[in-house]
Amino acid sequence: VKKTDVVRAILADRQHLLPCNTEAEAYASSNIALCKYWGKRNTELNLPMTSSFSISLGNFGSNIRLSVNENVADTACINDQLLDWQSSFGKRLREFLNLFRITPTLGFHADIHTNIPIGAGLASSACGFASLVQALDRLFGWELSLLELSILARLGSGSASRSLWQGFVEWHAGTQADGMDSYAEVCTDVWPDLCIGLLILSDTEKKISSRVAMQRTVATSPFYTAWPETVRHDLSAIKQAVREKDFLLLGKTAESNALSMHATMLSSWPPVLYALPGTVTAMQKIWELRQAGLMVFFTQDAGPNLKLLFLAKDKAHMKTHFPNMPIIQPFINE
Ligand code: DP6
């Protein structure tokens, strides 16, 4: 099964529709997995080995204005900088746009603005592809469901399947070979007191993409066989924590899940280590603060920065320890 087959199946009779607008705009939030996606059962379709669970970051995300014109070359700008189609993101974006190019002479222009702090390790593809599929839907007038858009966003980047909603989102791994049952769904629970801090420790570009690193982990880590069972356990604990507003259970499960993912990738060959010395220092500081009674936990993605989880009652205290850290309350509109 190829990406084009999935697009054909989803768009069916709508595939040949000409754009009904010349321009469309869409916004999607970034998201952070509390129970991670790490490893694919199908790399062409970004079908994951396991389900995953995330929280969306409200006003932190990206906005896209997408336009089409016949007989012009594709162009894309990210925060007013022209995107190089030869860059790794450029290649992925172009490959994705090609799936929706109904005539060979149709040119896309994507103007992307993102307000995610540079180097937070969040600027990535999740909100980019999620906003893009929504903009395509508006441009062509397809009127797809969010479930169908989630499948299309997944073809761009796995984690993008979770970025179409606010709040808690679960991406179901699914079992079908064509991935038609591998999409995300929003969870109705809300948690207004939940805070997320973006602890930026380095803004240097990561040397190895999550895409390459997760493939290597699946292929070479002797511990990868334990990962699906870890996720099965953690996913159910996190869903329970969200239902019961059990912050201790949420924090420790999310932190332990991230550490298990990083331990698994560390055991790959060649090894994959995203932590820098500053990452380890920050982890130790968090463990010390917790020892002293402050309920703060961390999670880490494919980069050296940490995302801290704590409750609103500890916000002032957290600010004294991490003065410049951006704080997001995903359920509070600011
Ligand atoms: C560590 O979604 O960026 O952030 O599907 O290859 O595009 P691709 O990978 P991507 O991987 C995200 C990995 C992670 C965990 C997560 O978000 O669940």
Side-chain angles (χ1 to χ4, degrees):
V1 184
K2 294 273 168 222
K3 286 191 176 89
T4 45
D5 302 321
V6 175
V7 170
R8 200 171 303 129
I10 289 187
L11 294 180
D13 51 341
R14 285 173 276 200
Q15 189 161 29
H16 302 291
L17 286 185
L18 290 169
C20 65
N21 294 301
T22 51
E23 185 176 293
E25 190 168 351
Y27 168 82
S29 295
S30 185
N31 76 79
I32 287 175
L34 300 170
C35 184
K36 308 291 186 191
Y37 148 55
W38 198 254
K40 304 180 195 196
R41 64 173 197 280
N42 178 320
T43 52
E44 161 77 12
L45 304 179
N46 292 331
L47 295 178
M49 291 283 198
T50 69
S51 297
S52 57
F53 192 89
S54 62
I55 176 80
S56 289
L57 297 187
N59 297 333
F60 282 93
S62 61
N63 192 78
I64 185 167
R65 288 168 78 101
L66 186 68
S67 52
V68 275
N69 276 300
E70 276 296 340
N71 299 313
V72 295
D74 291 337
T75 46
C77 290
I78 301 183
N79 290 347
D80 301 319
Q81 291 246 19
L82 204 59
L83 177 70
D84 175 3
W85 292 116
Q86 295 311 314
S87 67
S88 64
F89 184 67
K91 284 183 187 151
R92 280 171 66 182
L93 184 61
R94 175 92 87 158
E95 189 205 336
F96 193 77
L97 288 172
N98 285 342
L99 296 169
F100 305 98
R101 202 185 304 276
I102 42 171
T103 61
T105 46
L106 195 72
F108 287 100
H109 174 67
D111 194 10
I112 302 166
H113 279 93
T114 172
N115 62 351
I116 291 167
I118 302 294
L122 308 162
S124 59
S125 37
C127 51
F129 285 104
S131 57
L132 179 56
V133 294
Q134 294 187 84
L136 284 163
D137 185 68
R138 289 172 195 164
L139 198 68
F140 287 96
W142 297 325
E143 301 187 338
L144 296 175
S145 65
L146 285 172
L147 187 157
E148 292 168 312
L149 290 175
S150 175
I151 292 176
L152 293 182
R154 164 171 54 73
L155 300 179
S157 181
S159 52
S161 67
R162 300 186 307 239
S163 262
L164 293 160
W165 296 268
Q166 292 301 328
F168 296 112
V169 176
E170 179 174 0
W171 172 16
H172 306 286
T175 54
Q176 286 175 214
D178 62 3
M180 288 304 179
D181 57 352
S182 183
Y183 50 81
E185 250 177 335
V186 71
C187 156
T188 52
D189 294 284
V190 296
W191 200 333
D193 287 342
L194 187 68
C195 296
I196 294 168
L198 305 180
L199 191 57
I200 298 164
L201 301 159
S202 164
D203 59 6
T204 52
E205 179 105 15
K206 57 187 167 197
K207 290 195 181 62
I208 167 164
S209 69
S210 46
R211 183 155 293 189
V212 170
M214 71 171 84
Q215 278 311 104
R216 189 185 294 172
T217 310
V218 174
T220 68
S221 166
F223 300 147
Y224 191 75
T225 48
W227 176 247
E229 182 53 28
T230 302
V231 170
R232 206 189 54 77
H233 170 271
D234 292 349
L235 186 61
S236 114
I238 284 175
K239 283 160 74 171
Q240 182 192 338
V242 163
R243 266 194 318 271
E244 297 172 1
K245 305 285 170 297
D246 183 341
F247 182 67
L248 189 60
L249 182 62
L250 181 84
K252 72 178 190 194
T253 312
E255 185 173 305
S256 157
N257 182 268
L259 288 169
S260 300
M261 176 182 76
H262 286 280
T264 311
M265 63 176 100
L266 186 57
S267 65
S268 310
W269 197 264
V272 181
L273 176 63
Y274 284 111
L276 291 173
T279 314
V280 177
T281 306
M283 287 177 178
Q284 278 160 342
K285 178 169 173 178
I286 288 151
W287 290 328
E288 275 163 28
L289 289 172
R290 215 150 70 210
Q291 199 79 45
L294 183 62
M295 279 299 99
V296 51
F297 297 86
F298 65 82
T299 182
Q300 181 193 356
D301 293 300
N305 303 307
L306 299 181
K307 290 98 190 193
L308 308 191
L309 301 169
F310 51 95
L311 291 175
K313 67 178 172 55
D314 294 321
K315 214 164 149 177
H317 200 164
M318 286 297 291
K319 279 184 177 162
T320 65
H321 288 289
F322 304 97
N324 302 318
M325 179 174 74
I327 297 175
I328 300 156
Q329 257 179 286
F331 295 97
I332 306 281
N333 279 325
E334 281 169 55

